[in-house]
Amino acid sequence: MNLYYDTFQALINVDLDVVENEITAFIGPSGCGKSTLLKSLNRMNDLVESCRITGKILFDGEDIYGKKMNVNVLRKRMGMVFQKPNPFPMSVYDNIAYGPRTHGIKKKRELDEIVEESLRNAAIWEELKDRLKKSALAISGGQQQRLCIARALAVKPEVILLDEPTSALDPISTTKIEDLLTELKDKYTIVIVTHNMGQAARISDKTAFFLHGEIVEFGKTIELFSRPKDKKTEDYITGRFG
Amino acid sequence: MRNRFDQELKKLHDDLVQMGTFIEKTMAKTMSAFRTNDYALAREVYDNDDIADELEIKVERRSLRILLSQQPVARDLRTISTALKMITDMERICDQAKSISEIVLRFEGKEFKKTDDILQMSEKCVIMVNKSIDAFINDSLELAKEIETLDDEIDALFKRIHDNMASMVTQDPNSVEQAIDVVMIAKYLERIGDHAVNISEWVVFNITGEHKHRLLI
């Protein structure tokens, strides 16, 4: 696929397969197109007026930019977590229940179950179970980010898209998120944009290296970080530019 | 962008060149002491073994510091792993040279008859060690691959020396002591050859990622 902002082409002939139950990492210098591609996957770029896409992005064989695609359903199936934790200014409980409620779930018992299960899956239940009525803004940044992951899990997505989810967190919170993602990949397909190459090497199965809107190299993470095929990849991952 | 890292890698390379040069010199001195009964030179090799240990520690320290501070990947990671593996073989070569010098020193004042085979073996060993170090310094796959052939020759010579000494002892029981020492020297040389092969295998790994024809990472 190709993506343009007016006349500027931000993604050029991008072609890659994201495999189910794997963690796929996008790496590359700022402005290389990795976040743009991530946002294209659940049509966040629809909000950018000048954005135009050619080619196809297939999700279970269906073109997500096709006429039949319901964007709300698509975004339910592909949840997103952003760089900065962005809990809603409401209680921990309501943050998680927000999505299910908008999808029509009203029964308290059902919501209680979803809240607990989501928080458990995000490995934060033990820390927050006694603070469900507290404001989500009052918990730590690391907890807020796991809350945001829990919130994404609450609507039972198939894919989780994460845009630099740990760049604003301390090393301990980062480790918790990384452990969490490694556990979640059994149930979900994960795509993560990261500037932290150690993180890509630690948690992802496959890595795509982007430069100037193109994929320079895409393959198994262990191979890309040990024997990159392209000199540009080697130069980037060894810190020779970027 | 990565000036400091490059400087550290350059220093690591310089340390390895220094250690390699020391080993080449040690091998040359040992063999010269053996050939010419130069006991002062044999003593020098014997006494200087600590230097190899110090050089080994220096490389270990620098490598670990780079691992800690730079978290290297790709070729950088292989270079540091290669350094850490290679120095073990380099240090062992010095140990074997020291053991040979010890035997030479034991023969001070006595007649020690050197056969053509053992002299040839010692020359080939010096060449092997030098080639393995050169392969590393020049980052050369070709040089690294030449070492295997030389090792086959060393192994054949060792077997011949062993057999000859066995029959010498049968014919002249008085020659037992010398025969044992010759076989021991030959064995040390054969081990030195193996260490040179190991070094060359790590050079190949550093360049290709393959060790003994298998991908390590």
Side-chain angles (χ1 to χ4, degrees):
Chain A
M1 55 89 80
N2 295 280
L3 185 145
Y4 306 81
Y5 293 120
D6 282 327
T7 52
F8 173 71
Q9 187 166 3
L11 291 173
I12 305 158
N13 297 326
V14 167
D15 184 6
L16 89 163
D17 290 326
V18 173
V19 177
E20 209 175 344
N21 299 115
E22 278 191 357
I23 299 181
T24 303
F26 294 170
I27 61 166
S30 299
C32 68
K34 58 192 189 301
S35 289
T36 300
L37 179 61
L38 190 81
K39 285 173 190 151
S40 307
L41 297 181
N42 73 345
R43 291 187 50 173
M44 295 289 285
N45 285 324
D46 286 11
L47 307 171
V48 182
E49 217 170 282
S50 63
C51 180
R52 183 168 57 87
I53 284 173
T54 64
K56 282 179 180 169
I57 298 177
L58 301 176
F59 182 28
D60 274 348
E62 206 179 337
D63 184 6
I64 66 164
Y65 285 89
K67 280 180 186 152
K68 287 182 193 159
M69 182 57 65
N70 178 329
V71 179
N72 289 331
V73 173
L74 174 73
R75 291 191 188 141
K76 180 180 175 298
R77 294 176 70 192
M78 282 205 226
M80 191 148 189
V81 176
F82 298 89
Q83 180 175 4
K84 236 181 117 198
N86 56 350
F88 303 138
M90 51 180 78
S91 73
V92 167
Y93 185 99
D94 288 339
N95 261 274
I96 308 294
Y98 190 90
R101 277 177 182 144
T102 60
H103 287 101
I105 298 172
K106 303 284 180 209
K107 283 185 193 153
K108 187 171 179 302
R109 232 182 78 189
E110 208 175 330
L111 285 170
D112 285 352
E113 273 173 22
I114 291 173
V115 168
E116 178 170 347
E117 191 192 349
S118 305
L119 288 172
R120 276 192 194 283
N121 285 338
I124 199 175
W125 170 252
E126 290 304 322
E127 288 166 63
L128 293 185
K129 64 181 178 189
D130 300 324
R131 300 157 75 184
L132 297 176
K133 299 289 169 202
K134 289 252 168 73
S135 165
L137 302 177
I139 60 178
S140 77
Q143 288 173 330
Q144 285 184 3
Q145 194 62 310
R146 277 179 291 150
L147 178 73
C148 291
I149 293 175
R151 189 176 63 193
L153 299 180
V155 293
K156 308 230 177 299
E158 294 156 58
V159 181
I160 309 169
L161 309 172
L162 302 113
D163 195 358
E164 295 182 47
T166 62
S167 60
L169 303 183
D170 66 77
I172 293 171
S173 305
T174 298
T175 306
K176 283 185 182 168
I177 302 262
E178 288 181 3
D179 287 348
L180 171 62
L181 295 179
T182 314
E183 280 169 30
L184 289 177
K185 78 168 180 175
D186 291 341
K187 292 183 195 162
Y188 306 90
T189 301
I190 295 170
V191 184
I192 180 169
V193 164
T194 180
H195 270 130
N196 178 342
M197 276 178 290
Q199 180 167 71
R202 278 192 297 276
I203 65 168
S204 71
D205 300 286
K206 302 234 175 73
T207 298
F209 167 55
F210 288 74
L211 191 63
H212 307 312
E214 287 180 284
I215 294 181
V216 173
E217 191 163 341
F218 175 57
K220 284 186 181 160
T221 297
I222 187 111
E223 285 174 14
L224 191 132
F225 280 97
S226 54
R227 286 166 283 109
K229 291 184 182 75
D230 195 293
K231 175 138 192 331
K232 290 196 280 281
T233 314
E234 171 116 17
D235 285 349
Y236 181 71
I237 62 172
T238 56
R240 284 185 172 84
F241 78 85
Chain B
M1 160 107 198
R2 41 170 271 171
N3 272 349
R4 234 193 108 214
F5 190 4
D6 283 336
Q7 279 167 13
E8 283 294 309
L9 284 176
K10 167 84 171 54
K11 282 182 196 161
L12 179 67
H13 190 264
D14 291 348
D15 289 348
L16 285 163
V17 170
Q18 189 190 3
M19 190 168 178
T21 311
F22 177 76
I23 277 142
E24 286 178 344
K25 282 186 182 156
T26 301
M27 276 302 289
K29 283 177 187 171
T30 307
M31 291 308 126
S32 170
F34 173 59
R35 267 196 320 274
T36 63
N37 302 325
D38 186 337
Y39 303 112
L41 201 55
R43 168 128 343 255
E44 187 189 322
V45 171
Y46 187 83
D47 290 342
N48 280 351
D49 182 55
D50 291 352
I51 296 175
D53 296 341
E54 286 304 315
L55 291 170
E56 185 184 18
I57 289 169
K58 196 172 163 190
V59 172
E60 279 168 347
R61 279 217 181 100
R62 200 183 295 284
S63 302
L64 291 175
R65 225 170 29 225
I66 296 175
L67 284 176
L68 176 73
S69 60
Q70 302 288 354
Q71 288 129 34
V73 293
R75 176 70 191 253
D76 297 332
L77 179 61
R78 293 204 299 275
T79 298
I80 292 151
S81 319
T82 298
L84 282 170
K85 297 296 286 186
M86 215 167 67
I87 50 171
T88 310
D89 289 299
M90 286 177 155
E91 195 272 331
R92 293 295 295 148
I93 288 173
C94 274
D95 284 346
Q96 316 281 7
K98 184 187 176 184
S99 299
I100 294 172
S101 301
E102 203 177 348
I103 295 176
V104 173
L105 285 170
R106 215 177 324 128
F107 268 83
E108 193 164 358
K110 297 177 196 167
E111 196 200 345
F112 194 110
K113 195 165 163 278
K114 290 135 201 152
T115 61
D116 282 349
D117 281 347
I118 191 90
L119 289 172
Q120 207 188 332
M121 195 176 178
S122 68
E123 273 167 28
K124 281 193 194 294
C125 251
V126 170
I127 294 170
M128 262 183 100
V129 170
N130 291 353
K131 270 204 177 167
S132 68
I133 305 288
D134 285 353
F136 168 72
I137 293 174
N138 298 313
D139 213 21
S140 164
L141 271 181
E142 286 72 29
L143 278 175
K145 283 175 179 166
E146 282 175 27
I147 294 192
E148 257 175 64
T149 329
L150 278 166
D151 192 47
D152 293 341
E153 294 172 25
I154 295 269
D155 290 347
L157 278 166
F158 173 69
K159 191 173 180 316
R160 207 155 76 199
I161 290 167
H162 176 274
D163 294 348
N164 287 343
M165 288 301 120
S167 60
M168 187 173 99
V169 169
T170 326
Q171 286 158 20
D172 175 12
N174 291 328
S175 65
V176 168
E177 198 183 349
Q178 186 166 86
I180 289 174
D181 282 334
V182 169
V183 170
M184 280 181 73
I185 288 175
K187 186 64 195 169
Y188 289 136
L189 289 171
E190 190 259 341
R191 293 297 302 142
I192 287 171
D194 289 344
H195 289 302
V197 170
N198 290 349
I199 291 173
S200 70
E201 284 168 349
W202 287 115
V203 170
V204 173
F205 166 74
N206 189 22
I207 299 167
T208 65
E210 279 187 28
H211 186 252
K212 298 184 188 179
H213 307 292
R214 277 186 311 189
L215 272 178
L216 276 193
I217 186 164

